Structure formats: C-alpha cells, structure tokens
Amino acid sequence: EDQVTQSPEALRLQEGESSSLNCSYTVSGLRGLFWYRQDPGKGPEFLFTLYSAGEEKEKERLKATLTKKESFLHITAPKPEDSATYLCAVQAANVYNFNKFYFGSGTKLNVKP
Amino acid sequence: GAVVSQHPSRVICKSGTSVKIECRSLDFQATTMFWYRQFPKQSLMLMATSNEGSKATYEQGVEKDKFLINHASLTLSTLTVTSAHPEDSSFYICSARGSSSLRAVGEQFFGPGTRLTVL
C-alpha cells in the first residue's frame, strides 16, 4: 500500500538553528515527490518537486533532497517567518488513479526568535 | 503564475441547506482539479478528482450524491455540499494541475481554502 510518513510531528528551533525534516515513502513506483508549506487557515504553498533519487532543489534557506526511500527538507539558519507546517506528498505510478497525491501528516515547525 | 482562487473563503450555513464552493485557476488551464478536506491538526484528505468535461472520481467513503462536483471548464470547478450537516463542517481546499504536464506528473497548486461551518 502506498504510504507517506513524516517526522518529526513537531519541531521547535531557535532562530539560526539548522535542522532537517524527514519524509519516508513506500510507493509502487514514484512519479514525483512534492514539498509544500502550509500556514494556519491557508491552502498549501508549493515549494519543490523532486522526480528521481539524487535530485536536489534549493530555495532561499530550504533545500530538498531525494533518495529511493525518503526525502529531506533541510532548513539552514531558519527565521521565525519559516514557522509553518511542511507537507510532503508523493505521486505514485498507480494505474487506477495516476493523478492522486498521497500526503504525509506534516511537520509543524516553530522557530523562536 | 499558477494561482488558484476559491470562493467563498468562509461560509456559515444552517443544517439542511446546500453550499457551493468555487475553485478557479486564474492564470493557467487546469485539466485536472482536486478537492480535499482538512480537519484541525490533520493532513489533507482527498475527496475527489475531476477532469474537465467528465465525471469526477470519488475516493472510497466519499458520498458522491452529497458532494457534487462539476468541472465544466478548464478554469472552473465547483463543489456543492448538499443537505449540509454539522459533521460536514471542515476546511475544504481545491487544487489544480495544468494541462502542460505531458508526463501526467506535476505539482498541484492549491487554493486558499474555504472554511465551512454548519450550524
């Protein structure tokens, strides 16, 4: 069964304290892995797409990496405005619904000044 | 680019009434749109997938007669919650994927969500 697990569930950091969020996946063929940021009461905001193992993407203080089993979202020197819930989703090679995204439960990041 | 809007952002209705939520892709054509619901402190739950001009595909456990989805054009999909009850209160979010994705793989762009409260 296709499954996505994110850890930790919650993470508290001091401003400037770098860390990583994990997204582990079990899917029958990976079409794409996606990272989103969601602020309270808002829809998810797209961050990155990764398609194959070894791929990396960067945007400001965020860097996403991908292996055959998991993805990491590295946050370097975070600021309070990086506080949000980060969601990971995978699109699997599912012949019945190839459009479907499988979402993890998210990591709630809180960056203290 | 890739902006998706939803209307209304918040709605309060009485039990038994129907509520329509609109989802629009503002700067791209969306061949596929998705409807999710999200309960507090939980992740997104896919309700249905709709392709322009065809019937929506509902996820297991989602009542198609209660949650009516119409995707009449490449920029508009609507979700109608019929005979709403308090347990339907939730945060409903739509997303859209563009028609330019030839590999049928591509990011979904999300709307800002609609908070539905049924009294």
Side-chain angles (χ1 to χ4, degrees):
Chain A
E1 182 182 329
D2 298 329
Q3 195 169 350
V4 180
T5 304
Q6 288 187 250
S7 62
E9 191 174 306
L11 181 62
R12 298 180 73 176
L13 299 174
Q14 286 297 128
E15 184 172 2
E17 180 186 0
S18 302
S19 188
S20 297
L21 312 182
N22 177 265
C23 172
S24 298
Y25 62 91
T26 306
V27 294
S28 51
L30 179 71
R31 285 178 171 263
L33 185 142
F34 308 87
W35 282 98
Y36 290 86
R37 168 194 170 123
Q38 186 176 26
D39 292 298
K42 303 279 183 65
E45 175 191 343
F46 170 72
L47 294 175
F48 302 110
T49 306
L50 300 167
Y51 291 111
S52 56
E55 192 173 358
E56 298 182 353
K57 295 274 181 73
E58 280 189 74
K59 180 181 177 181
E60 296 180 352
R61 295 178 291 282
L62 300 177
K63 179 180 177 180
T65 62
L66 180 65
T67 71
K68 289 186 178 180
K69 294 183 179 180
E70 59 192 349
S71 175
F72 290 95
L73 184 65
H74 306 278
I75 303 178
T76 302
K79 297 181 177 181
E81 53 262 43
D82 295 322
S83 297
T85 295
Y86 290 84
L87 297 170
C88 167
V90 300
Q91 185 176 6
N94 182 331
V95 296
Y96 298 107
N97 189 354
F98 56 83
N99 281 306
K100 184 174 180 177
F101 276 24
Y102 294 86
F103 275 91
S105 54
T107 293
K108 186 173 182 180
L109 175 65
N110 187 0
V111 182
K112 297 282 191 180
Chain B
V3 179
V4 177
S5 69
Q6 268 184 254
H7 178 79
S9 59
R10 186 180 296 268
V11 58
I12 301 173
C13 68
K14 292 183 179 180
S15 185
T17 60
S18 294
V19 174
K20 180 185 281 189
I21 303 170
E22 290 188 350
C23 176
R24 293 182 185 273
S25 56
L26 299 185
D27 53 1
F28 67 103
Q29 292 187 326
T31 49
T32 306
M33 286 185 166
F34 307 83
W35 286 95
Y36 295 83
R37 66 189 295 181
Q38 186 175 35
F39 292 104
K41 298 184 179 180
Q42 293 188 24
S43 193
L44 285 75
M45 287 176 45
L46 179 65
M47 299 175 65
T49 303
S50 74
N51 291 293
E52 184 264 337
S54 61
K55 289 185 178 180
T57 302
Y58 290 81
E59 292 298 299
Q60 193 171 12
V62 177
E63 299 175 58
K64 60 181 66 176
D65 294 330
K66 180 168 185 62
F67 299 99
L68 302 179
I69 292 171
N70 183 280
H71 190 166
S73 78
L74 285 172
T75 59
L76 173 65
S77 176
T78 60
L79 167 67
T80 302
V81 183
T82 62
S83 187
H85 292 284
E87 57 265 30
D88 298 324
S89 298
S90 188
F91 191 52
Y92 292 87
I93 311 175
C94 74
S95 71
R97 190 165 66 79
S99 59
S100 61
S101 181
L102 299 178
R103 296 188 291 169
V105 179
E107 49 274 358
Q108 296 179 21
F109 297 98
F110 286 83
T114 296
R115 173 74 59 193
L116 171 63
T117 303
V118 184
L119 303 176

